[in-house]
PDB file of all heavy atoms in Angstrom:
ATOM      1  N   ARG A 440      33.980 -47.716 -24.076  1.00 70.00           N
ATOM      2  CA  ARG A 440      34.294 -47.153 -25.396  1.00 70.00           C
ATOM      3  C   ARG A 440      35.768 -47.503 -25.591  1.00 70.00           C
ATOM      4  O   ARG A 440      36.194 -47.430 -26.782  1.00 70.00           O
ATOM      5  CB  ARG A 440      34.050 -45.759 -25.463  1.00 70.00           C
ATOM      6  CG  ARG A 440      34.836 -44.761 -24.516  1.00 70.00           C
ATOM      7  CD  ARG A 440      34.496 -43.427 -24.615  1.00 70.00           C
ATOM      8  NE  ARG A 440      35.353 -42.563 -23.689  1.00 70.00           N
ATOM      9  CZ  ARG A 440      35.235 -42.428 -22.530  1.00 70.00           C
ATOM     10  NH1 ARG A 440      34.224 -43.060 -21.757  1.00 70.00           N
ATOM     11  NH2 ARG A 440      36.105 -41.563 -21.790  1.00 70.00           N
ATOM     12  N   ASN A 441      36.593 -47.591 -24.593  1.00 71.00           N
ATOM     13  CA  ASN A 441      37.932 -47.851 -24.693  1.00 71.00           C
ATOM     14  C   ASN A 441      38.286 -49.222 -25.344  1.00 71.00           C
ATOM     15  O   ASN A 441      39.333 -49.485 -25.885  1.00 71.00           O
ATOM     16  CB  ASN A 441      38.712 -47.817 -23.295  1.00 71.00           C
ATOM     17  CG  ASN A 441      38.600 -46.375 -22.756  1.00 71.00           C
ATOM     18  OD1 ASN A 441      38.911 -45.325 -23.560  1.00 71.00           O
ATOM     19  ND2 ASN A 441      38.241 -46.246 -21.595  1.00 71.00           N
ATOM     20  N   PHE A 442      37.299 -50.155 -25.312  1.00 72.00           N
ATOM     21  CA  PHE A 442      37.366 -51.451 -25.863  1.00 72.00           C
ATOM     22  C   PHE A 442      37.515 -51.203 -27.414  1.00 72.00           C
ATOM     23  O   PHE A 442      37.851 -52.145 -28.199  1.00 72.00           O
ATOM     24  CB  PHE A 442      36.198 -52.413 -25.579  1.00 72.00           C
ATOM     25  CG  PHE A 442      36.379 -52.948 -24.170  1.00 72.00           C
ATOM     26  CD1 PHE A 442      35.162 -52.999 -23.351  1.00 72.00           C
ATOM     27  CD2 PHE A 442      37.543 -53.230 -23.553  1.00 72.00           C
ATOM     28  CE1 PHE A 442      35.207 -53.442 -22.098  1.00 72.00           C
ATOM     29  CE2 PHE A 442      37.623 -53.784 -22.213  1.00 72.00           C
ATOM     30  CZ  PHE A 442      36.396 -53.820 -21.471  1.00 72.00           C
ATOM     31  N   ALA A 443      36.886 -50.190 -27.930  1.00 71.00           N
ATOM     32  CA  ALA A 443      36.862 -50.037 -29.468  1.00 71.00           C
ATOM     33  C   ALA A 443      37.897 -49.048 -29.982  1.00 71.00           C
ATOM     34  O   ALA A 443      37.773 -48.708 -31.172  1.00 71.00           O
ATOM     35  CB  ALA A 443      35.402 -49.354 -29.742  1.00 71.00           C
ATOM     36  N   VAL A 444      38.841 -48.827 -29.182  1.00 79.00           N
ATOM     37  CA  VAL A 444      39.953 -47.886 -29.502  1.00 79.00           C
ATOM     38  C   VAL A 444      40.812 -48.636 -30.656  1.00 79.00           C
ATOM     39  O   VAL A 444      41.060 -49.885 -30.462  1.00 79.00           O
ATOM     40  CB  VAL A 444      40.868 -47.440 -28.336  1.00 79.00           C
ATOM     41  CG1 VAL A 444      42.215 -46.787 -28.865  1.00 79.00           C
ATOM     42  CG2 VAL A 444      40.048 -46.414 -27.618  1.00 79.00           C
ATOM     43  N   GLY A 445      41.186 -47.854 -31.641  1.00 84.00           N
ATOM     44  CA  GLY A 445      42.116 -48.435 -32.638  1.00 84.00           C
ATOM     45  C   GLY A 445      41.360 -49.228 -33.733  1.00 84.00           C
ATOM     46  O   GLY A 445      40.202 -48.879 -33.923  1.00 84.00           O
ATOM     47  N   GLU A 446      41.964 -50.121 -34.256  1.00 89.00           N
ATOM     48  CA  GLU A 446      41.471 -50.896 -35.471  1.00 89.00           C
ATOM     49  C   GLU A 446      40.275 -51.571 -34.956  1.00 89.00           C
ATOM     50  O   GLU A 446      40.268 -52.384 -33.931  1.00 89.00           O
ATOM     51  CB  GLU A 446      42.364 -51.791 -36.037  1.00 89.00           C
ATOM     52  CG  GLU A 446      42.008 -52.468 -37.316  1.00 89.00           C
ATOM     53  CD  GLU A 446      43.009 -53.313 -38.053  1.00 89.00           C
ATOM     54  OE1 GLU A 446      43.934 -52.755 -38.683  1.00 89.00           O
ATOM     55  OE2 GLU A 446      43.187 -54.607 -37.700  1.00 89.00           O
ATOM     56  N   ARG A 447      39.163 -51.640 -35.754  1.00 87.00           N
ATOM     57  CA  ARG A 447      37.847 -52.293 -35.266  1.00 87.00           C
ATOM     58  C   ARG A 447      37.857 -53.782 -35.748  1.00 87.00           C
ATOM     59  O   ARG A 447      37.205 -54.147 -36.515  1.00 87.00           O
ATOM     60  CB  ARG A 447      36.609 -51.574 -35.879  1.00 87.00           C
ATOM     61  CG  ARG A 447      36.594 -50.078 -35.325  1.00 87.00           C
ATOM     62  CD  ARG A 447      35.178 -49.557 -35.634  1.00 87.00           C
ATOM     63  NE  ARG A 447      34.711 -49.663 -37.061  1.00 87.00           N
ATOM     64  CZ  ARG A 447      33.491 -49.568 -37.476  1.00 87.00           C
ATOM     65  NH1 ARG A 447      32.535 -49.113 -36.593  1.00 87.00           N
ATOM     66  NH2 ARG A 447      33.166 -49.586 -38.702  1.00 87.00           N
ATOM     67  N   SER A 448      38.726 -54.518 -35.124  1.00 92.00           N
ATOM     68  CA  SER A 448      38.893 -55.979 -35.462  1.00 92.00           C
ATOM     69  C   SER A 448      39.183 -56.661 -34.138  1.00 92.00           C
ATOM     70  O   SER A 448      39.995 -56.180 -33.342  1.00 92.00           O
ATOM     71  CB  SER A 448      39.960 -56.021 -36.518  1.00 92.00           C
ATOM     72  OG  SER A 448      41.175 -55.534 -36.189  1.00 92.00           O
ATOM     73  N   TYR A 449      38.788 -57.905 -34.056  1.00 92.00           N
ATOM     74  CA  TYR A 449      39.148 -58.743 -32.977  1.00 92.00           C
ATOM     75  C   TYR A 449      40.417 -59.504 -33.197  1.00 92.00           C
ATOM     76  O   TYR A 449      41.457 -59.265 -32.574  1.00 92.00           O
ATOM     77  CB  TYR A 449      38.047 -59.631 -32.653  1.00 92.00           C
ATOM     78  CG  TYR A 449      38.099 -60.646 -31.530  1.00 92.00           C
ATOM     79  CD1 TYR A 449      38.592 -60.058 -30.301  1.00 92.00           C
ATOM     80  CD2 TYR A 449      37.614 -61.988 -31.538  1.00 92.00           C
ATOM     81  CE1 TYR A 449      38.685 -60.881 -29.075  1.00 92.00           C
ATOM     82  CE2 TYR A 449      37.671 -62.636 -30.415  1.00 92.00           C
ATOM     83  CZ  TYR A 449      38.276 -62.174 -29.102  1.00 92.00           C
ATOM     84  OH  TYR A 449      38.361 -62.910 -28.066  1.00 92.00           O
ATOM     85  N   ALA A 450      40.497 -60.298 -34.366  1.00 95.00           N
ATOM     86  CA  ALA A 450      41.721 -61.029 -34.782  1.00 95.00           C
ATOM     87  C   ALA A 450      42.375 -59.923 -35.542  1.00 95.00           C
ATOM     88  O   ALA A 450      41.807 -59.060 -36.355  1.00 95.00           O
ATOM     89  CB  ALA A 450      41.227 -62.213 -35.670  1.00 95.00           C
ATOM     90  N   GLN A 451      43.737 -59.833 -35.338  1.00 96.00           N
ATOM     91  CA  GLN A 451      44.596 -58.718 -35.822  1.00 96.00           C
ATOM     92  C   GLN A 451      45.819 -59.364 -36.459  1.00 96.00           C
ATOM     93  O   GLN A 451      46.161 -60.551 -36.286  1.00 96.00           O
ATOM     94  CB  GLN A 451      44.824 -57.717 -34.996  1.00 96.00           C
ATOM     95  CG  GLN A 451      43.687 -57.118 -34.305  1.00 96.00           C
ATOM     96  CD  GLN A 451      43.998 -55.833 -33.358  1.00 96.00           C
ATOM     97  OE1 GLN A 451      45.099 -55.857 -32.778  1.00 96.00           O
ATOM     98  NE2 GLN A 451      43.016 -54.961 -33.223  1.00 96.00           N
ATOM     99  N   ARG A 452      46.438 -58.633 -37.503  1.00 97.00           N
ATOM    100  CA  ARG A 452      47.618 -59.037 -38.055  1.00 97.00           C
ATOM    101  C   ARG A 452      48.708 -59.056 -37.174  1.00 97.00           C
ATOM    102  O   ARG A 452      48.797 -58.304 -36.202  1.00 97.00           O
ATOM    103  CB  ARG A 452      47.850 -58.205 -39.346  1.00 97.00           C
ATOM    104  CG  ARG A 452      47.915 -56.769 -39.074  1.00 97.00           C
ATOM    105  CD  ARG A 452      47.903 -55.866 -40.308  1.00 97.00           C
ATOM    106  NE  ARG A 452      47.942 -54.447 -40.105  1.00 97.00           N
ATOM    107  CZ  ARG A 452      46.945 -53.758 -39.767  1.00 97.00           C
ATOM    108  NH1 ARG A 452      45.731 -54.299 -39.671  1.00 97.00           N
ATOM    109  NH2 ARG A 452      47.079 -52.430 -39.402  1.00 97.00           N
ATOM    110  N   GLN A 453      49.871 -59.976 -37.451  1.00 98.00           N
ATOM    111  CA  GLN A 453      50.875 -59.953 -36.567  1.00 98.00           C
ATOM    112  C   GLN A 453      52.184 -59.254 -37.260  1.00 98.00           C
ATOM    113  O   GLN A 453      52.042 -59.122 -38.530  1.00 98.00           O
ATOM    114  CB  GLN A 453      51.362 -61.521 -36.348  1.00 98.00           C
ATOM    115  CG  GLN A 453      50.075 -62.190 -35.850  1.00 98.00           C
ATOM    116  CD  GLN A 453      49.458 -61.600 -34.596  1.00 98.00           C
ATOM    117  OE1 GLN A 453      49.959 -61.732 -33.569  1.00 98.00           O
ATOM    118  NE2 GLN A 453      48.197 -61.220 -34.736  1.00 98.00           N
ATOM    119  N   LEU A 454      53.164 -58.932 -36.643  1.00 98.00           N
ATOM    120  CA  LEU A 454      54.121 -58.103 -37.170  1.00 98.00           C
ATOM    121  C   LEU A 454      55.542 -58.682 -37.000  1.00 98.00           C
ATOM    122  O   LEU A 454      55.811 -59.119 -35.775  1.00 98.00           O
ATOM    123  CB  LEU A 454      54.081 -56.604 -36.626  1.00 98.00           C
ATOM    124  CG  LEU A 454      52.686 -55.938 -36.848  1.00 98.00           C
ATOM    125  CD1 LEU A 454      52.045 -55.730 -35.638  1.00 98.00           C
ATOM    126  CD2 LEU A 454      52.830 -54.599 -37.456  1.00 98.00           C
ATOM    127  N   VAL A 455      56.427 -58.316 -37.780  1.00 98.00           N
ATOM    128  CA  VAL A 455      57.860 -58.584 -37.756  1.00 98.00           C
ATOM    129  C   VAL A 455      58.659 -57.385 -38.296  1.00 98.00           C
ATOM    130  O   VAL A 455      58.402 -56.900 -39.391  1.00 98.00           O
ATOM    131  CB  VAL A 455      58.302 -59.910 -38.349  1.00 98.00           C
ATOM    132  CG1 VAL A 455      57.937 -60.019 -39.858  1.00 98.00           C
ATOM    133  CG2 VAL A 455      59.828 -60.220 -38.177  1.00 98.00           C
ATOM    134  N   PHE A 456      59.617 -56.981 -37.420  1.00 98.00           N
ATOM    135  CA  PHE A 456      60.474 -55.893 -37.863  1.00 98.00           C
ATOM    136  C   PHE A 456      61.952 -56.248 -37.883  1.00 98.00           C
ATOM    137  O   PHE A 456      62.435 -56.935 -37.027  1.00 98.00           O
ATOM    138  CB  PHE A 456      60.290 -54.805 -36.731  1.00 98.00           C
ATOM    139  CG  PHE A 456      58.886 -54.138 -36.558  1.00 98.00           C
ATOM    140  CD1 PHE A 456      58.007 -54.638 -35.637  1.00 98.00           C
ATOM    141  CD2 PHE A 456      58.535 -53.080 -37.470  1.00 98.00           C
ATOM    142  CE1 PHE A 456      56.856 -54.026 -35.624  1.00 98.00           C
ATOM    143  CE2 PHE A 456      57.168 -52.463 -37.382  1.00 98.00           C
ATOM    144  CZ  PHE A 456      56.386 -53.009 -36.445  1.00 98.00           C
ATOM    145  N   ARG A 457      62.573 -55.875 -39.011  1.00 98.00           N
ATOM    146  CA  ARG A 457      63.977 -56.120 -39.205  1.00 98.00           C
ATOM    147  C   ARG A 457      64.750 -55.113 -38.548  1.00 98.00           C
ATOM    148  O   ARG A 457      64.510 -53.748 -38.773  1.00 98.00           O
ATOM    149  CB  ARG A 457      64.305 -56.326 -40.585  1.00 98.00           C
ATOM    150  CG  ARG A 457      65.740 -56.675 -40.902  1.00 98.00           C
ATOM    151  CD  ARG A 457      66.059 -57.048 -42.370  1.00 98.00           C
ATOM    152  NE  ARG A 457      67.472 -57.596 -42.447  1.00 98.00           N
ATOM    153  CZ  ARG A 457      68.567 -56.911 -42.777  1.00 98.00           C
ATOM    154  NH1 ARG A 457      68.450 -55.584 -42.782  1.00 98.00           N
ATOM    155  NH2 ARG A 457      69.665 -57.440 -42.841  1.00 98.00           N
ATOM    156  N   ASN A 458      65.744 -55.405 -37.807  1.00 98.00           N
ATOM    157  CA  ASN A 458      66.739 -54.331 -37.040  1.00 98.00           C
ATOM    158  C   ASN A 458      67.651 -53.935 -38.135  1.00 98.00           C
ATOM    159  O   ASN A 458      68.565 -54.595 -38.653  1.00 98.00           O
ATOM    160  CB  ASN A 458      67.324 -55.150 -35.948  1.00 98.00           C
ATOM    161  CG  ASN A 458      68.110 -54.075 -35.084  1.00 98.00           C
ATOM    162  OD1 ASN A 458      68.424 -52.884 -35.572  1.00 98.00           O
ATOM    163  ND2 ASN A 458      68.376 -54.491 -33.786  1.00 98.00           N
ATOM    164  N   GLU A 459      67.629 -52.641 -38.320  1.00 96.00           N
ATOM    165  CA  GLU A 459      68.581 -51.908 -39.258  1.00 96.00           C
ATOM    166  C   GLU A 459      69.253 -50.737 -38.520  1.00 96.00           C
ATOM    167  O   GLU A 459      69.624 -49.775 -39.097  1.00 96.00           O
ATOM    168  CB  GLU A 459      67.878 -51.481 -40.558  1.00 96.00           C
ATOM    169  CG  GLU A 459      67.254 -52.726 -41.432  1.00 96.00           C
ATOM    170  CD  GLU A 459      66.571 -52.239 -42.735  1.00 96.00           C
ATOM    171  OE1 GLU A 459      66.392 -50.946 -42.860  1.00 96.00           O
ATOM    172  OE2 GLU A 459      66.223 -53.143 -43.419  1.00 96.00           O
ATOM    173  N   SER A 460      69.609 -51.077 -37.263  1.00 92.00           N
ATOM    174  CA  SER A 460      70.127 -49.955 -36.390  1.00 92.00           C
ATOM    175  C   SER A 460      71.584 -49.900 -36.506  1.00 92.00           C
ATOM    176  O   SER A 460      72.283 -50.834 -37.002  1.00 92.00           O
ATOM    177  CB  SER A 460      69.783 -50.270 -34.876  1.00 92.00           C
ATOM    178  OG  SER A 460      68.298 -50.448 -34.697  1.00 92.00           O
ATOM    179  N   THR A 461      72.088 -48.804 -36.049  1.00 85.00           N
ATOM    180  CA  THR A 461      73.570 -48.551 -35.857  1.00 85.00           C
ATOM    181  C   THR A 461      73.744 -47.910 -34.494  1.00 85.00           C
ATOM    182  O   THR A 461      72.892 -47.621 -33.796  1.00 85.00           O
ATOM    183  CB  THR A 461      73.965 -47.443 -37.032  1.00 85.00           C
ATOM    184  OG1 THR A 461      73.314 -46.228 -36.733  1.00 85.00           O
ATOM    185  CG2 THR A 461      73.853 -47.911 -38.431  1.00 85.00           C
TER     186      THR A 461
END
Side-chain angles (χ1 to χ4, degrees):
R440 68 185 184 279
N441 295 314
F442 289 139
V444 167
E446 187 176 275
R447 298 195 308 169
S448 54
Y449 187 37
Q451 298 184 339
R452 58 193 176 275
Q453 313 302 292
L454 302 110
V455 56
F456 296 93
R457 185 173 188 270
N458 188 342
E459 299 180 350
S460 304
T461 57

